[in-house]
Amino acid sequence: MGSNNRAEIMEIERDNLDQMTEQCDDLKRVPPWNKQITVRGIVASLFIGIIYSVVVMKLNLTTGLVPNLNVSAALLAFVFVSAWTKLLEKAKFTTTPFTRQENTIIQTCAVSCYSIALGGGFGSYLLGLNKRTYEQAGVDTEGNPPWSYKEPALDWMIGFLFVVSFVGLLCLVPIRKIMIIDYKLSYPSGTATAVLINGFHSAKGDKMTKKQVHGFTKFFSLSFVWSFFQWFFAGGDQCGFVFFPTFGLKAFKQSFYFDFSMTYVGAGMICSHLVNLSLLLGAVLSWGVMWPLIGKKKGDWFPENIKETSMESLNGYKIFISIALILGDGLYNFCKTLWFTFRSMHSAFKKKNLQTAPDSKNQTLEARRNEVFIRDTIPFWLALVGYILFSIISIIVIPIMFPPLKWYYVLVAYIFAPSLCFCNAYGAGLTDMNMAYNYGKVALFVLASMVGKENGVVAGLIGCGLIKSMASISSDLMHDFKTGHLTLTSPRSMLVSQVIGTAIGCIVAPLTFFLFYKTFDVGNPNGEYKAPYALVYRNMAILGVEGFSALPHHCLHLCYGFFGFAVLANFLRDVGPGKSGKWVPLPMAMAVPFLVGAYFAIDMCVGSLVVYVWHRIDKVRAPVMVPAVASGLICGDGLWILPSCILALFKISPPICMNFLPSKSN
């Protein structure tokens, strides 16, 4: 067994050397930028973008926790186009070769499409504007006036996304060379995607690629069939495998059960063990300890006859304590990333000319990569004019859509946005952490407090969306530029594919949202689609308007404690010894089950357990096969959502209700 593993490791190392040689040869035959964008590529991007928009929207509206799916999108792009070209070849049609550049373009376009569903605020700041969230925050709550809600509608949502999304695309284009070539930022997600794509298109990578494609197809089919099978038993409230009391009915009441969701199992396989264990720890601490104890204080800390959804009931403690964890974690990482960014920039500037000479083959490959990356320039004037034009449109349109957010606030946001986007993109290149949500939260608190009680909630939520969208999209673009740099893809074609994907996403994402919004009970705190972050963001805005007077009894002291815990946990992870420091829990991950429940944390830990066992059994193949299997599980379950929504829209209900009751009730 050991000799076989060593042989496989040596074979992989030889393949890596061969891939480097092949890339040097590929430099001589890189297609022009306009040939890298193809019709089949756009069709594939649309198909992948729709599937992942559905998956991401489901995760947004259930838990709010979405793993990085870039590598998965690159895999699905390869599977889709490879299958398509093979079918055409069998039908005796002539097809153009499928290159790594086309693979990169498809991945970029698809990711930019579903990124709108991920970061468009459908589960947070935009949904926080609707009437249901306004009512859950408390109609009598100070700073939550009756005119501060706006029901979701396709017209204004699509318009808002088009207005704010394209500004971020052009924000950092002029400094792409500085970020990728001069500073040599790693952008780990972009680099990982490039390594996967280069492996797909290497002559020696065929054997492992076939295994990945087979694994993806197999588990995609199993996941889809399993979701279809589950549907037959979900014919009523709390019916089906989703509500299976795995650990008994008492544990089920506290949300401790395995709900057989392949999406969450697949997400758990992608996320690190630390993230999944932090989720489980947060679930045990909240639903296993804190909420039962605080619930016993009914009549003492909060009134007995109050509604469960009121901010003055137990629900208020859930919301504000989770906000304290999120803010503590976000503030620490925000300050840390800024400090690390400026320190690294200063160091890079001082040592710019003191680089050691690399290996000659690496030097040749790197030089030619840089040549391809610089060759197809994107004119500075185009980026500048585009940014100014879209900013002017935004300054005019957004105050018309949302009168509480005055035009001068939007103007100030767009003046400061490039510097914020640069800091976020630079930090993401160093740490792979996109801090856009934290920049958005800062804007939320600042605007809510500046505008005041009457209009602070709406202004804060929309201002949050402006800053967050720009910072996130510009950072994602740099990740894609890094992928393009390593796969010899023209930055011009990358930008065009980003524009196409973003335009598609601005239409697909709202349509996907309304598919869920009209089919399921979105925002019900006791349902499957709780949309927890909508209420979190609205309460953040109320907190920005009202200050600590918005908190329930004794909640402020608990918030102080959990805010301090979040800062301390991050500090210990950074300064603690290597082996022990890396196992300090992540406060941001712990905060999610405080609102949602423990069930999805159990699903994620099942995925983590699968990965752990797989690595113990076969540590050579596991790193390569885990992303493929996880992607198959996520995509199969996600694809079933489309027909299940269509069935629900046509009032076709599952024929069986599988429910579980105590024996006395039976």
Side-chain angles (χ1 to χ4, degrees), residues 203-261:
K204 296 290 185 179
D206 287 345
K207 184 178 179 182
M208 188 55 69
T209 299
K210 287 178 181 177
K211 290 181 180 179
Q212 288 177 310
V213 171
H214 177 72
F216 172 84
T217 307
K218 178 181 177 181
F219 283 91
F220 173 88
S221 304
L222 289 173
S223 180
F224 183 85
V225 171
W226 171 244
S227 299
F228 175 55
F229 175 75
Q230 285 189 85
W231 177 82
F232 286 95
F233 300 91
D237 292 335
Q238 294 199 338
C239 295
F241 287 91
V242 177
F243 299 100
F244 190 90
T246 320
F247 309 110
L249 291 171
K250 190 172 182 180
F252 177 81
K253 288 180 180 178
Q254 296 299 327
S255 75
F256 284 93
Y257 58 93
F258 177 61
D259 74 347
F260 296 91
S261 170

Short mmCIF file of all heavy atoms in Angstrom, two decimals, residues 203-261:
data_model
loop_
_atom_site.label_atom_id
_atom_site.label_comp_id
_atom_site.label_asym_id
_atom_site.label_seq_id
_atom_site.Cartn_x
_atom_site.Cartn_y
_atom_site.Cartn_z
N ALA A 203 -1.63 17.13 -21.17
CA ALA A 203 -1.68 15.80 -21.78
C ALA A 203 -1.64 14.70 -20.73
O ALA A 203 -2.27 13.65 -20.88
CB ALA A 203 -0.51 15.63 -22.75
N LYS A 204 -0.91 14.94 -19.63
CA LYS A 204 -0.78 13.93 -18.58
C LYS A 204 -1.94 13.98 -17.59
O LYS A 204 -2.04 13.12 -16.71
CB LYS A 204 0.53 14.15 -17.82
CG LYS A 204 1.77 13.96 -18.66
CD LYS A 204 1.99 12.52 -19.02
CE LYS A 204 3.29 12.32 -19.77
NZ LYS A 204 3.53 10.91 -20.12
N GLY A 205 -2.80 14.99 -17.72
CA GLY A 205 -3.88 15.13 -16.74
C GLY A 205 -5.14 14.38 -17.11
O GLY A 205 -6.12 14.42 -16.37
N ASP A 206 -5.13 13.69 -18.27
CA ASP A 206 -6.34 13.05 -18.74
C ASP A 206 -6.85 11.98 -17.79
O ASP A 206 -8.05 11.87 -17.54
CB ASP A 206 -6.09 12.42 -20.12
CG ASP A 206 -6.00 13.48 -21.20
OD1 ASP A 206 -6.42 14.62 -20.92
OD2 ASP A 206 -5.52 13.16 -22.30
N LYS A 207 -5.94 11.19 -17.23
CA LYS A 207 -6.34 10.08 -16.37
C LYS A 207 -7.07 10.56 -15.13
O LYS A 207 -8.17 10.09 -14.81
CB LYS A 207 -5.11 9.26 -15.98
CG LYS A 207 -5.43 8.02 -15.18
CD LYS A 207 -4.15 7.23 -14.87
CE LYS A 207 -4.46 5.99 -14.04
NZ LYS A 207 -3.22 5.24 -13.70
N MET A 208 -6.49 11.54 -14.43
CA MET A 208 -7.12 12.06 -13.22
C MET A 208 -8.37 12.86 -13.55
O MET A 208 -9.35 12.83 -12.81
CB MET A 208 -6.12 12.91 -12.44
CG MET A 208 -6.62 13.35 -11.06
SD MET A 208 -7.16 11.95 -10.02
CE MET A 208 -5.57 11.18 -9.69
N THR A 209 -8.34 13.56 -14.68
CA THR A 209 -9.51 14.34 -15.09
C THR A 209 -10.70 13.43 -15.33
O THR A 209 -11.83 13.74 -14.94
CB THR A 209 -9.19 15.15 -16.36
OG1 THR A 209 -8.12 16.04 -16.07
CG2 THR A 209 -10.41 15.94 -16.81
N LYS A 210 -10.46 12.30 -15.98
CA LYS A 210 -11.56 11.35 -16.22
C LYS A 210 -12.14 10.85 -14.90
O LYS A 210 -13.36 10.67 -14.78
CB LYS A 210 -11.05 10.17 -17.06
CG LYS A 210 -10.79 10.53 -18.52
CD LYS A 210 -10.25 9.34 -19.29
CE LYS A 210 -9.98 9.72 -20.74
NZ LYS A 210 -9.38 8.59 -21.50
N LYS A 211 -11.28 10.63 -13.91
CA LYS A 211 -11.77 10.19 -12.60
C LYS A 211 -12.61 11.29 -11.95
O LYS A 211 -13.65 11.01 -11.33
CB LYS A 211 -10.59 9.83 -11.69
CG LYS A 211 -9.87 8.56 -12.11
CD LYS A 211 -8.72 8.24 -11.16
CE LYS A 211 -7.99 6.97 -11.58
NZ LYS A 211 -6.85 6.67 -10.68
N GLN A 212 -12.16 12.54 -12.07
CA GLN A 212 -12.93 13.65 -11.50
C GLN A 212 -14.29 13.79 -12.18
O GLN A 212 -15.31 13.99 -11.51
CB GLN A 212 -12.14 14.96 -11.64
CG GLN A 212 -10.94 15.05 -10.72
CD GLN A 212 -10.15 16.33 -10.94
OE1 GLN A 212 -9.81 16.67 -12.06
NE2 GLN A 212 -9.87 17.04 -9.86
N VAL A 213 -14.28 13.69 -13.50
CA VAL A 213 -15.55 13.80 -14.24
C VAL A 213 -16.49 12.66 -13.87
O VAL A 213 -17.69 12.86 -13.66
CB VAL A 213 -15.28 13.82 -15.77
CG1 VAL A 213 -16.59 13.72 -16.54
CG2 VAL A 213 -14.52 15.08 -16.15
N HIS A 214 -15.93 11.46 -13.77
CA HIS A 214 -16.76 10.30 -13.39
C HIS A 214 -17.32 10.48 -11.97
O HIS A 214 -18.50 10.21 -11.72
CB HIS A 214 -15.91 9.03 -13.46
CG HIS A 214 -16.64 7.80 -13.01
ND1 HIS A 214 -17.65 7.20 -13.74
CD2 HIS A 214 -16.52 7.06 -11.85
CE1 HIS A 214 -18.12 6.16 -13.09
NE2 HIS A 214 -17.45 6.04 -11.94
N GLY A 215 -16.47 10.95 -11.05
CA GLY A 215 -16.94 11.17 -9.68
C GLY A 215 -18.01 12.24 -9.61
O GLY A 215 -19.01 12.08 -8.91
N PHE A 216 -17.80 13.34 -10.35
CA PHE A 216 -18.81 14.40 -10.37
C PHE A 216 -20.14 13.88 -10.92
O PHE A 216 -21.20 14.09 -10.33
CB PHE A 216 -18.32 15.57 -11.23
CG PHE A 216 -19.37 16.62 -11.47
CD1 PHE A 216 -19.58 17.62 -10.54
CD2 PHE A 216 -20.15 16.59 -12.62
CE1 PHE A 216 -20.56 18.58 -10.75
CE2 PHE A 216 -21.13 17.54 -12.84
CZ PHE A 216 -21.33 18.54 -11.90
N THR A 217 -20.09 13.19 -12.07
CA THR A 217 -21.31 12.70 -12.71
C THR A 217 -22.05 11.71 -11.83
O THR A 217 -23.28 11.76 -11.69
CB THR A 217 -20.96 12.04 -14.06
OG1 THR A 217 -20.19 12.95 -14.85
CG2 THR A 217 -22.22 11.67 -14.82
N LYS A 218 -21.30 10.82 -11.20
CA LYS A 218 -21.90 9.78 -10.35
C LYS A 218 -22.64 10.40 -9.16
O LYS A 218 -23.82 10.09 -8.91
CB LYS A 218 -20.81 8.83 -9.86
CG LYS A 218 -21.30 7.74 -8.92
CD LYS A 218 -20.13 6.86 -8.48
CE LYS A 218 -20.57 5.80 -7.48
NZ LYS A 218 -19.42 4.96 -7.03
N PHE A 219 -21.98 11.31 -8.46
CA PHE A 219 -22.60 11.87 -7.26
C PHE A 219 -23.62 12.96 -7.60
O PHE A 219 -24.52 13.23 -6.82
CB PHE A 219 -21.52 12.39 -6.31
CG PHE A 219 -20.83 11.29 -5.56
CD1 PHE A 219 -19.69 10.69 -6.06
CD2 PHE A 219 -21.36 10.82 -4.36
CE1 PHE A 219 -19.07 9.65 -5.38
CE2 PHE A 219 -20.75 9.79 -3.67
CZ PHE A 219 -19.61 9.20 -4.18
N PHE A 220 -23.48 13.59 -8.76
CA PHE A 220 -24.52 14.50 -9.25
C PHE A 220 -25.82 13.72 -9.46
O PHE A 220 -26.90 14.15 -9.02
CB PHE A 220 -24.06 15.15 -10.55
CG PHE A 220 -25.12 15.98 -11.23
CD1 PHE A 220 -25.28 17.32 -10.90
CD2 PHE A 220 -25.95 15.42 -12.19
CE1 PHE A 220 -26.26 18.09 -11.52
CE2 PHE A 220 -26.92 16.19 -12.82
CZ PHE A 220 -27.07 17.52 -12.48
N SER A 221 -25.72 12.57 -10.11
CA SER A 221 -26.91 11.75 -10.37
C SER A 221 -27.52 11.23 -9.08
O SER A 221 -28.74 11.28 -8.89
CB SER A 221 -26.53 10.58 -11.29
OG SER A 221 -25.94 11.03 -12.48
N LEU A 222 -26.66 10.73 -8.17
CA LEU A 222 -27.17 10.21 -6.90
C LEU A 222 -27.86 11.31 -6.09
O LEU A 222 -28.93 11.09 -5.50
CB LEU A 222 -26.01 9.62 -6.09
CG LEU A 222 -25.42 8.30 -6.59
CD1 LEU A 222 -24.19 7.92 -5.79
CD2 LEU A 222 -26.46 7.18 -6.51
N SER A 223 -27.28 12.50 -6.08
CA SER A 223 -27.86 13.60 -5.32
C SER A 223 -29.21 14.02 -5.90
O SER A 223 -30.17 14.27 -5.16
CB SER A 223 -26.89 14.79 -5.31
OG SER A 223 -27.42 15.88 -4.60
N PHE A 224 -29.29 14.10 -7.22
CA PHE A 224 -30.54 14.48 -7.87
C PHE A 224 -31.64 13.45 -7.60
O PHE A 224 -32.77 13.80 -7.24
CB PHE A 224 -30.32 14.64 -9.37
CG PHE A 224 -31.54 15.11 -10.11
CD1 PHE A 224 -31.83 16.46 -10.21
CD2 PHE A 224 -32.41 14.20 -10.71
CE1 PHE A 224 -32.95 16.91 -10.89
CE2 PHE A 224 -33.53 14.63 -11.39
CZ PHE A 224 -33.80 15.99 -11.48
N VAL A 225 -31.29 12.17 -7.75
CA VAL A 225 -32.28 11.11 -7.51
C VAL A 225 -32.71 11.08 -6.05
O VAL A 225 -33.90 10.89 -5.74
CB VAL A 225 -31.68 9.74 -7.94
CG1 VAL A 225 -32.59 8.59 -7.50
CG2 VAL A 225 -31.48 9.70 -9.45
N TRP A 226 -31.77 11.28 -5.13
CA TRP A 226 -32.11 11.30 -3.71
C TRP A 226 -33.05 12.45 -3.38
O TRP A 226 -34.02 12.28 -2.64
CB TRP A 226 -30.84 11.38 -2.88
CG TRP A 226 -31.07 11.61 -1.41
CD1 TRP A 226 -30.70 12.68 -0.67
CD2 TRP A 226 -31.74 10.72 -0.51
NE1 TRP A 226 -31.10 12.53 0.63
CE2 TRP A 226 -31.74 11.33 0.77
CE3 TRP A 226 -32.35 9.46 -0.64
CZ2 TRP A 226 -32.32 10.75 1.88
CZ3 TRP A 226 -32.92 8.87 0.47
CH2 TRP A 226 -32.91 9.51 1.71
N SER A 227 -32.81 13.62 -3.94
CA SER A 227 -33.69 14.77 -3.71
C SER A 227 -35.08 14.52 -4.28
O SER A 227 -36.10 14.87 -3.67
CB SER A 227 -33.09 16.04 -4.34
OG SER A 227 -31.85 16.33 -3.76
N PHE A 228 -35.12 13.89 -5.46
CA PHE A 228 -36.40 13.53 -6.08
C PHE A 228 -37.15 12.52 -5.20
O PHE A 228 -38.36 12.65 -4.98
CB PHE A 228 -36.13 12.95 -7.47
CG PHE A 228 -37.35 12.43 -8.18
CD1 PHE A 228 -38.46 13.25 -8.37
CD2 PHE A 228 -37.38 11.13 -8.66
CE1 PHE A 228 -39.58 12.77 -9.03
CE2 PHE A 228 -38.51 10.64 -9.31
CZ PHE A 228 -39.61 11.46 -9.49
N PHE A 229 -36.43 11.54 -4.67
CA PHE A 229 -37.05 10.54 -3.79
C PHE A 229 -37.59 11.18 -2.52
O PHE A 229 -38.71 10.87 -2.08
CB PHE A 229 -36.01 9.47 -3.45
CG PHE A 229 -36.48 8.44 -2.46
CD1 PHE A 229 -37.36 7.44 -2.83
CD2 PHE A 229 -36.04 8.49 -1.14
CE1 PHE A 229 -37.80 6.50 -1.92
CE2 PHE A 229 -36.46 7.55 -0.21
CZ PHE A 229 -37.35 6.55 -0.61
N GLN A 230 -36.84 12.10 -1.94
CA GLN A 230 -37.29 12.77 -0.71
C GLN A 230 -38.58 13.55 -0.91
O GLN A 230 -39.40 13.66 0.00
CB GLN A 230 -36.21 13.74 -0.22
CG GLN A 230 -35.00 13.10 0.43
CD GLN A 230 -34.11 14.15 1.05
OE1 GLN A 230 -34.33 14.58 2.19
NE2 GLN A 230 -33.12 14.59 0.31
N TRP A 231 -38.76 14.10 -2.11
CA TRP A 231 -39.92 14.94 -2.39
C TRP A 231 -41.24 14.20 -2.13
O TRP A 231 -42.21 14.79 -1.66
CB TRP A 231 -39.85 15.43 -3.83
CG TRP A 231 -41.03 16.25 -4.25
CD1 TRP A 231 -41.24 17.58 -4.00
CD2 TRP A 231 -42.17 15.80 -4.98
NE1 TRP A 231 -42.43 17.98 -4.54
CE2 TRP A 231 -43.03 16.91 -5.14
CE3 TRP A 231 -42.56 14.57 -5.51
CZ2 TRP A 231 -44.24 16.82 -5.82
CZ3 TRP A 231 -43.76 14.48 -6.18
CH2 TRP A 231 -44.59 15.59 -6.33
N PHE A 232 -41.29 12.92 -2.42
CA PHE A 232 -42.54 12.16 -2.29
C PHE A 232 -43.04 12.10 -0.84
O PHE A 232 -44.22 11.87 -0.61
CB PHE A 232 -42.34 10.73 -2.82
CG PHE A 232 -42.27 10.65 -4.31
CD1 PHE A 232 -41.05 10.65 -4.97
CD2 PHE A 232 -43.43 10.59 -5.07
CE1 PHE A 232 -40.98 10.58 -6.35
CE2 PHE A 232 -43.38 10.52 -6.45
CZ PHE A 232 -42.15 10.52 -7.10
N PHE A 233 -42.16 12.32 0.13
CA PHE A 233 -42.53 12.18 1.55
C PHE A 233 -42.70 13.52 2.25
O PHE A 233 -42.82 13.56 3.46
CB PHE A 233 -41.46 11.35 2.27
CG PHE A 233 -41.28 9.97 1.71
CD1 PHE A 233 -40.35 9.73 0.70
CD2 PHE A 233 -42.06 8.92 2.15
CE1 PHE A 233 -40.19 8.46 0.17
CE2 PHE A 233 -41.92 7.64 1.63
CZ PHE A 233 -40.98 7.42 0.63
N ALA A 234 -42.69 14.61 1.49
CA ALA A 234 -42.72 15.95 2.08
C ALA A 234 -44.07 16.64 1.85
O ALA A 234 -44.13 17.84 1.60
CB ALA A 234 -41.60 16.80 1.52
N GLY A 235 -45.16 15.90 1.96
CA GLY A 235 -46.49 16.43 1.64
C GLY A 235 -47.19 17.09 2.80
O GLY A 235 -48.35 16.74 3.10
N GLY A 236 -46.59 18.02 3.48
CA GLY A 236 -47.23 18.73 4.60
C GLY A 236 -46.20 19.47 5.43
O GLY A 236 -44.99 19.44 5.15
N ASP A 237 -46.69 20.18 6.47
CA ASP A 237 -45.79 20.91 7.36
C ASP A 237 -44.94 19.94 8.18
O ASP A 237 -45.46 18.99 8.76
CB ASP A 237 -46.59 21.81 8.31
CG ASP A 237 -47.27 22.94 7.56
OD1 ASP A 237 -46.78 23.31 6.47
OD2 ASP A 237 -48.30 23.45 8.05
N GLN A 238 -43.64 20.19 8.22
CA GLN A 238 -42.68 19.38 8.96
C GLN A 238 -42.79 17.89 8.60
O GLN A 238 -42.81 17.02 9.46
CB GLN A 238 -42.86 19.57 10.47
CG GLN A 238 -42.52 20.99 10.93
CD GLN A 238 -42.26 21.08 12.42
OE1 GLN A 238 -42.69 20.23 13.19
NE2 GLN A 238 -41.55 22.12 12.82
N CYS A 239 -42.88 17.64 7.30
CA CYS A 239 -42.94 16.26 6.80
C CYS A 239 -41.70 15.95 5.97
O CYS A 239 -41.12 16.85 5.35
CB CYS A 239 -44.19 16.05 5.94
SG CYS A 239 -45.74 16.20 6.83
N GLY A 240 -41.30 14.70 5.95
CA GLY A 240 -40.22 14.25 5.10
C GLY A 240 -38.91 14.03 5.83
O GLY A 240 -38.80 14.21 7.04
N PHE A 241 -37.90 13.63 5.05
CA PHE A 241 -36.59 13.36 5.62
C PHE A 241 -35.93 14.61 6.19
O PHE A 241 -35.05 14.52 7.04
CB PHE A 241 -35.68 12.75 4.55
CG PHE A 241 -36.02 11.33 4.19
CD1 PHE A 241 -36.91 11.06 3.17
CD2 PHE A 241 -35.46 10.28 4.89
CE1 PHE A 241 -37.23 9.75 2.84
CE2 PHE A 241 -35.77 8.96 4.58
CZ PHE A 241 -36.66 8.69 3.54
N VAL A 242 -36.35 15.78 5.68
CA VAL A 242 -35.77 17.04 6.16
C VAL A 242 -36.03 17.23 7.65
O VAL A 242 -35.27 17.92 8.34
CB VAL A 242 -36.36 18.22 5.35
CG1 VAL A 242 -35.84 19.55 5.87
CG2 VAL A 242 -36.01 18.06 3.88
N PHE A 243 -37.09 16.61 8.17
CA PHE A 243 -37.44 16.75 9.59
C PHE A 243 -37.30 15.41 10.32
O PHE A 243 -38.09 15.08 11.19
CB PHE A 243 -38.87 17.29 9.72
CG PHE A 243 -39.06 18.64 9.11
CD1 PHE A 243 -39.62 18.77 7.85
CD2 PHE A 243 -38.64 19.78 9.77
CE1 PHE A 243 -39.79 20.02 7.27
CE2 PHE A 243 -38.81 21.03 9.20
CZ PHE A 243 -39.37 21.15 7.95
N PHE A 244 -36.28 14.64 9.95
CA PHE A 244 -36.06 13.33 10.57
C PHE A 244 -35.39 13.53 11.94
O PHE A 244 -34.29 14.06 12.02
CB PHE A 244 -35.17 12.48 9.67
CG PHE A 244 -35.07 11.05 10.08
CD1 PHE A 244 -35.96 10.11 9.61
CD2 PHE A 244 -34.08 10.63 10.96
CE1 PHE A 244 -35.87 8.78 9.98
CE2 PHE A 244 -33.98 9.31 11.35
CZ PHE A 244 -34.88 8.38 10.86
N PRO A 245 -36.05 13.08 13.03
CA PRO A 245 -35.48 13.29 14.38
C PRO A 245 -34.35 12.29 14.67
O PRO A 245 -34.51 11.35 15.45
CB PRO A 245 -36.69 13.06 15.29
CG PRO A 245 -37.56 12.12 14.54
CD PRO A 245 -37.36 12.42 13.08
N THR A 246 -33.20 12.54 14.09
CA THR A 246 -32.08 11.60 14.14
C THR A 246 -31.66 11.26 15.56
O THR A 246 -31.34 10.11 15.87
CB THR A 246 -30.87 12.19 13.39
OG1 THR A 246 -31.33 12.86 12.22
CG2 THR A 246 -29.89 11.10 13.00
N PHE A 247 -31.66 12.25 16.45
CA PHE A 247 -31.18 12.06 17.82
C PHE A 247 -32.32 12.06 18.84
O PHE A 247 -32.08 12.28 20.02
CB PHE A 247 -30.16 13.15 18.16
CG PHE A 247 -29.06 13.30 17.15
CD1 PHE A 247 -29.00 14.42 16.32
CD2 PHE A 247 -28.11 12.31 16.99
CE1 PHE A 247 -28.00 14.55 15.38
CE2 PHE A 247 -27.11 12.43 16.04
CZ PHE A 247 -27.05 13.55 15.23
N GLY A 248 -33.53 11.84 18.38
CA GLY A 248 -34.69 11.83 19.28
C GLY A 248 -35.49 13.12 19.17
O GLY A 248 -35.02 14.15 18.70
N LEU A 249 -36.73 13.05 19.65
CA LEU A 249 -37.65 14.19 19.51
C LEU A 249 -37.26 15.37 20.40
O LEU A 249 -37.50 16.53 20.04
CB LEU A 249 -39.08 13.74 19.83
CG LEU A 249 -39.70 12.79 18.79
CD1 LEU A 249 -41.02 12.24 19.30
CD2 LEU A 249 -39.91 13.50 17.47
N LYS A 250 -36.68 15.09 21.57
CA LYS A 250 -36.27 16.19 22.45
C LYS A 250 -35.15 17.00 21.81
O LYS A 250 -35.16 18.24 21.83
CB LYS A 250 -35.83 15.64 23.81
CG LYS A 250 -35.63 16.73 24.86
CD LYS A 250 -35.40 16.12 26.23
CE LYS A 250 -35.25 17.23 27.28
NZ LYS A 250 -35.01 16.67 28.65
N ALA A 251 -34.18 16.31 21.23
CA ALA A 251 -33.09 16.99 20.52
C ALA A 251 -33.64 17.68 19.27
O ALA A 251 -33.17 18.78 18.90
CB ALA A 251 -32.00 16.01 20.14
N PHE A 252 -34.63 17.08 18.63
CA PHE A 252 -35.22 17.67 17.43
C PHE A 252 -35.84 19.03 17.73
O PHE A 252 -35.73 19.96 16.92
CB PHE A 252 -36.28 16.72 16.86
CG PHE A 252 -37.01 17.25 15.66
CD1 PHE A 252 -36.44 17.17 14.40
CD2 PHE A 252 -38.26 17.83 15.78
CE1 PHE A 252 -37.10 17.67 13.29
CE2 PHE A 252 -38.93 18.33 14.69
CZ PHE A 252 -38.34 18.25 13.43
N LYS A 253 -36.48 19.17 18.91
CA LYS A 253 -37.10 20.45 19.27
C LYS A 253 -36.06 21.56 19.41
O LYS A 253 -36.38 22.74 19.22
CB LYS A 253 -37.87 20.30 20.59
CG LYS A 253 -39.15 19.48 20.44
CD LYS A 253 -39.87 19.37 21.78
CE LYS A 253 -41.15 18.56 21.63
NZ LYS A 253 -41.86 18.38 22.93
N GLN A 254 -34.83 21.19 19.72
CA GLN A 254 -33.74 22.17 19.81
C GLN A 254 -32.93 22.23 18.52
O GLN A 254 -31.81 22.73 18.52
CB GLN A 254 -32.83 21.83 21.00
CG GLN A 254 -33.51 21.91 22.35
CD GLN A 254 -34.02 23.30 22.66
OE1 GLN A 254 -33.43 24.30 22.27
NE2 GLN A 254 -35.15 23.38 23.38
N SER A 255 -33.50 21.68 17.43
CA SER A 255 -32.94 21.71 16.07
C SER A 255 -31.71 20.83 15.89
O SER A 255 -30.96 21.01 14.92
CB SER A 255 -32.63 23.16 15.64
OG SER A 255 -31.48 23.66 16.27
N PHE A 256 -31.50 19.85 16.78
CA PHE A 256 -30.38 18.93 16.62
C PHE A 256 -30.86 17.68 15.88
O PHE A 256 -31.46 16.78 16.47
CB PHE A 256 -29.79 18.54 17.98
CG PHE A 256 -28.95 19.62 18.60
CD1 PHE A 256 -29.52 20.53 19.48
CD2 PHE A 256 -27.61 19.74 18.29
CE1 PHE A 256 -28.76 21.54 20.05
CE2 PHE A 256 -26.84 20.74 18.86
CZ PHE A 256 -27.41 21.64 19.74
N TYR A 257 -30.64 17.67 14.57
CA TYR A 257 -30.99 16.51 13.75
C TYR A 257 -30.26 16.61 12.42
O TYR A 257 -29.78 17.67 12.03
CB TYR A 257 -32.50 16.42 13.52
CG TYR A 257 -33.12 17.64 12.87
CD1 TYR A 257 -33.27 17.72 11.49
CD2 TYR A 257 -33.56 18.72 13.63
CE1 TYR A 257 -33.83 18.83 10.89
CE2 TYR A 257 -34.12 19.84 13.04
CZ TYR A 257 -34.26 19.89 11.67
OH TYR A 257 -34.80 21.00 11.08
N PHE A 258 -30.18 15.48 11.72
CA PHE A 258 -29.56 15.42 10.40
C PHE A 258 -30.67 15.47 9.37
O PHE A 258 -31.56 14.62 9.37
CB PHE A 258 -28.74 14.14 10.25
CG PHE A 258 -28.11 13.96 8.89
CD1 PHE A 258 -27.20 14.88 8.41
CD2 PHE A 258 -28.42 12.86 8.11
CE1 PHE A 258 -26.62 14.72 7.15
CE2 PHE A 258 -27.84 12.68 6.86
CZ PHE A 258 -26.94 13.61 6.38
N ASP A 259 -30.65 16.48 8.48
CA ASP A 259 -31.80 16.66 7.57
C ASP A 259 -31.56 16.12 6.16
O ASP A 259 -32.34 16.40 5.25
CB ASP A 259 -32.20 18.14 7.51
CG ASP A 259 -31.22 18.99 6.71
OD1 ASP A 259 -30.11 18.50 6.41
OD2 ASP A 259 -31.57 20.14 6.39
N PHE A 260 -30.49 15.33 5.97
CA PHE A 260 -30.23 14.63 4.71
C PHE A 260 -30.10 15.57 3.52
O PHE A 260 -30.42 15.21 2.38
CB PHE A 260 -31.35 13.60 4.42
CG PHE A 260 -31.43 12.49 5.42
CD1 PHE A 260 -32.24 12.59 6.54
CD2 PHE A 260 -30.67 11.33 5.26
CE1 PHE A 260 -32.31 11.58 7.48
CE2 PHE A 260 -30.73 10.31 6.18
CZ PHE A 260 -31.55 10.43 7.30
N SER A 261 -29.62 16.78 3.75
CA SER A 261 -29.42 17.75 2.65
C SER A 261 -28.05 17.54 2.03
O SER A 261 -27.02 17.75 2.68
CB SER A 261 -29.55 19.18 3.17
OG SER A 261 -29.14 20.10 2.18
#
